[in-house]
Each structure stands twice: as structure tokens, then as C-alpha cells.
Amino acid sequence: RVLFRSVNPAAAMVGTLESSRPPPARAMENTLIVVANLSVTFAIGILANVGKTANYGDTNGISAYMSALLLLIYAFLLCTVAVTRQVDQAKVVFYFKGAISLSSVIFSVTAFAQGAAGFGMSYIFFGLAGLVELLMIKNFIQAIARDDLERKRNTRDAQM
């Protein structure tokens, strides 16, 4: 008998005991908060290297400050969505993270063109890590919708 089999990759991360049913949204909440803290760690790493942004032509460090600000806003929004479990807010966070990941990849190309391979690699990593986060947020949105549907179904059955 298999206890931890699941079709949902996020379910395997949170360790659901159900064999065929994806986890409810509340089971994914802690994982999303950890992911938000990962984005804060990325922001701290970017801010720690503000002085080195002159390597690719940004003498004032504006690109580092903007990247860190976007990551901190994303982390705040992701924690808020994880706790409130609102589908519309989660979709906004999904698109916001998609935009951050895309801009990170575009910025890495710019950094590579300026000869700053270290910054280019780090921004590529941020963009690729964002793909995994997008998958997790998508699964969370589906879990919220499933929970809402089940709650409505249970309320309707209780009223009959």
C-alpha cells in the first residue's frame, strides 16, 4: 500500500496521505510561504551586490534596487494570497511572478551582453526558479477553486 502517491507535484512536497486526491489549499499554504521567503533571500542577495552593478553599466544600482523591490512585493503578495486563499488575488500574483521571471531572463541577456556573466547567471537562475513557483501557484489556484466548489456543494447538500 502506497501512502504518498500523488499526481500533483506540490502534493508530494507537502506530504499528503491521500492516494488519488490532490491536496486542499490549506495544505499548500506553508509551502507557498517558504517560497516567498526564498524570494526575500534572492532580494537580499541582490541588495548585497549593489556595489558591483557598475560591471554592467549601472553605476547607481537602480537595476538591483528595482529587482529587489519587485521580489519583496511579490513575497508580500504571495504570503497574503496563501493566507486569504482568494482566487482572483492568486491569479494576479501568478501574472506578476510571470512578469518578474520574464524580465529577469531579459535582464540576464543584457548583463551577459555587458560582460557581467555572474549577474547574468544569477538572473537566469531567478527566472528559472520562477517557473517552478508559477507551477506551484497554478496548483494553488486550482486547489482554491476545488475547495470553493466542494464547500458550495456541501452547503447546498446541507440545505436540502
Side-chain angles (χ1 to χ4, degrees):
R1 187 170 169 197
V2 178
L3 291 178
F4 290 100
R5 182 177 42 158
S6 176
V7 295
N8 187 341
M13 295 173 76
V14 295
T16 182
L17 292 174
E18 299 169 342
S19 61
S20 63
R21 184 169 178 222
R26 65 175 156 52
M28 299 174 70
E29 179 180 331
N30 292 334
T31 305
L32 287 175
I33 291 174
V34 168
V35 167
N37 287 324
L38 183 65
S39 294
V40 171
T41 304
F42 288 160
I44 291 170
I46 290 170
L47 290 175
N49 290 307
V50 167
K52 298 176 184 174
T53 58
N55 293 349
Y56 55 85
D58 185 10
T59 56
N60 295 328
I62 300 297
S63 62
Y65 292 128
M66 288 304 296
S67 297
L69 178 66
L70 289 175
L71 286 171
L72 291 174
I73 290 171
Y74 163 72
F76 174 75
L77 291 175
L78 185 59
C79 285
T80 303
V81 163
V83 172
T84 60
R85 298 186 202 121
Q86 298 293 322
V87 174
D88 294 334
Q89 292 174 357
K91 287 179 181 179
V92 168
V93 171
F94 178 83
Y95 290 123
F96 186 65
K97 181 58 181 180
I100 290 173
S101 296
L102 182 63
S103 64
S104 177
V105 170
I106 291 170
F107 185 74
S108 70
V109 170
T110 306
F112 277 123
Q114 295 290 328
F119 280 100
M121 288 303 293
S122 64
Y123 280 102
I124 285 279
F125 177 72
F126 298 155
L128 292 178
L131 295 177
V132 176
E133 293 178 36
L134 285 172
L135 178 64
M136 290 179 63
I137 295 170
K138 180 189 79 76
N139 288 337
F140 185 66
I141 291 169
Q142 291 172 345
I144 294 170
R146 215 175 19 254
D147 289 351
D148 287 345
L149 183 64
E150 187 176 319
R151 190 177 314 112
K152 288 177 186 176
R153 195 175 298 145
N154 291 341
T155 303
R156 184 182 56 210
D157 290 344
Q159 290 175 352
M160 290 183 171

